[in-house]
Amino acid sequence: AEATNLDMSRLPVVVPNRGASCHVSAAPVAGSAGLNAFGLDFRANGRVWDSDLAALDSDGDGCLNGIEVGDSDGDGRADGNV
């Protein structure tokens, strides 16, 4: 879970989406928490949140990652656009 805490500190994630941001489970536990499409893209991006990752629609729902995590431009500051 330590890597998860470090990764979460790198994302400007708003409270309703915290656990489900990168994992298939909203309450992941070490060793049994697979990554969802956003988690895979975050890992492929070097575990860095930036404008490139914000501009993707990892889960294919028509809403960009930046909007979904609350930082539409990927500058690392939450803008509340959830």
Side-chain angles (χ1 to χ4, degrees), residues 27-48:
V29 293
S32 66
L35 296 174
N36 63 22
F38 176 79
L40 294 171
D41 284 345
F42 180 68
R43 183 172 65 190
N45 199 48
R47 292 181 161 177
V48 173

Side-chain angles (χ1 to χ4, degrees), residues 1 4 8 13 15-40:
T4 300
M8 291 305 293
V13 181
V15 173
N17 303 322
R18 286 195 65 86
S21 294
C22 296
H23 295 277
V24 294
S25 169
V29 293
S32 66
L35 296 174
N36 63 22
F38 176 79
L40 294 171

Side-chain angles (χ1 to χ4, degrees), residues 2-80:
E2 189 159 326
T4 300
N5 291 336
L6 176 60
D7 291 337
M8 291 305 293
S9 73
R10 295 176 179 165
L11 294 171
V13 181
V14 296
V15 173
N17 303 322
R18 286 195 65 86
S21 294
C22 296
H23 295 277
V24 294
S25 169
V29 293
S32 66
L35 296 174
N36 63 22
F38 176 79
L40 294 171
D41 284 345
F42 180 68
R43 183 172 65 190
N45 199 48
R47 292 181 161 177
V48 173
W49 174 253
D50 59 15
S51 59
D52 293 331
L53 192 56
L56 294 178
D57 176 15
S58 295
D59 59 8
D61 67 355
C63 188
L64 301 178
N65 294 337
I67 299 296
E68 291 189 276
V69 301
D71 176 17
S72 58
D73 59 6
D75 67 358
R77 292 187 308 261
D79 54 26

